Amino acid sequence: EAQVTQNPRYLITVTGKKLTVTCSQNMNHEYMSWYRQDPGLGLRQIYYSMNVEVTDKGDVPEGYKVSRKEKRNFPLILESPSPNQTSLYFCASSLGALGRRGRLDGYTFGSGTRLTVV
Amino acid sequence: AQSVSQHNHHVILSEAASLELGCNYSYGGTVNLFWYVQYPGQHLQLLLKYFSGDPLVKGIKGFEAEFVKSKFSFNLRKPSVQWSDTAEYFCAVKGGSYIPTFGRGTSLIVHP
């Protein structure tokens, strides 16, 4: 089944303790992205990746890191989490950012990771 | 820069009522437009998308949206909602940049 898999689904951690949220897709998608979803703010993009070893900042990258060493994986790293990073996080992937005539196909989203930093 | 605005933050309807959710975008060139739905406790799923051609786009679950270029709008419609349509709905636009921009979402509650 074609899907984007995120782990863990729920995580409670303490301020300053490094954590990684994993994201893996099995659709050979080039484009992957991380969003955070907060009430009243919708989805805000944290980082995105056009392809292996190609990553760039989204709208709210502060406090986050990403890597794209393999096409299928795009982990989100919080080196020193803080309470304002408490949020619902979604990983998403898409076939390509630049398809025919520059189209971006719709995303496939992961199931989300609810992170609480105390 | 591109932006998208969803005017209705919360909508409450009774079953069988008609639905229209507003979405306006700002971008001067060619755009790709999307509507996503997020059911309670679940991830976002693509409802429908517009790339080019017929401005009336039909999606899953009886939803449709109309791209009106002169109004920079892409409103979502359904003639008769069901209780199971209770969800949050997000409009998204992709213009010249690689990054799609999402609206803040509209929460729809349908009373049985």
Side-chain angles (χ1 to χ4, degrees):
Chain A
E1 180 188 353
Q3 60 185 359
V4 176
T5 303
Q6 283 179 240
N7 279 297
R9 290 291 306 276
Y10 302 92
L11 179 59
I12 302 174
T13 190
V14 296
T15 299
K17 185 177 180 182
K18 180 179 178 179
L19 66 92
T20 299
V21 183
T22 63
C23 174
S24 180
Q25 50 92 5
N26 61 359
M27 296 167 281
N28 201 34
H29 282 174
E30 291 182 351
Y31 186 83
M32 297 184 75
S33 182
W34 276 103
Y35 287 86
R36 59 178 289 174
Q37 183 180 15
D38 301 288
L41 296 177
L43 283 99
R44 293 180 293 169
Q45 189 169 47
I46 303 170
Y47 269 95
Y48 66 97
S49 170
M50 302 277 283
N51 213 324
V52 176
E53 302 291 2
V54 182
T55 63
D56 209 345
K57 297 177 180 178
D59 297 319
V60 288
E62 293 78 21
Y64 304 95
K65 283 175 57 178
V66 292
S67 69
R68 188 91 182 273
K69 293 185 171 58
E70 307 164 280
K71 200 171 188 177
R72 62 183 294 126
N73 295 323
F74 190 46
L76 179 70
I77 303 155
L78 284 72
E79 294 271 3
S80 182
S82 62
N84 65 11
Q85 292 178 298
T86 292
S87 186
L88 178 58
Y89 292 86
F90 287 102
C91 180
S93 74
S94 173
L95 185 59
L98 281 181
R100 192 161 51 92
R101 289 182 289 170
R103 287 165 42 155
L104 174 65
D105 291 320
Y107 279 145
T108 300
F109 281 84
S111 297
T113 296
R114 187 166 291 282
L115 171 66
T116 302
V117 183
V118 299
Chain B
Q2 64 196 24
S3 66
V4 61
S5 174
Q6 293 182 242
H7 317 297
N8 318 100
H9 297 296
H10 301 280
V11 174
I12 301 174
L13 295 173
S14 298
E15 274 194 320
S18 65
L19 170 72
E20 181 161 0
L21 301 182
C23 173
N24 283 90
Y25 69 91
S26 173
Y27 185 74
T30 302
V31 292
N32 300 157
L33 296 156
F34 309 85
W35 274 99
Y36 286 86
V37 60
Q38 185 179 29
Y39 297 105
Q42 296 188 26
H43 59 90
L44 279 81
Q45 303 169 45
L46 183 66
L47 262 182
L48 49 80
K49 58 187 178 184
Y50 171 80
F51 287 152
S52 64
D54 189 343
L56 185 61
V57 180
K58 294 196 183 301
I60 60 172
K61 301 178 191 259
F63 286 90
E64 64 179 30
E66 185 173 15
F67 170 51
V68 182
K69 191 174 181 180
S70 61
K71 295 183 179 180
F72 297 90
S73 70
F74 190 57
N75 293 353
L76 181 70
R77 300 195 292 246
K78 186 171 184 179
S80 176
V81 295
Q82 301 170 313
W83 174 78
S84 57
D85 292 324
T86 293
E88 191 145 12
Y89 293 81
F90 293 91
C91 181
V93 61
K94 177 200 167 295
S97 81
Y98 300 138
I99 307 171
T101 300
F102 285 82
R104 293 191 173 191
T106 297
S107 173
L108 171 66
I109 296 174
V110 179
H111 288 300

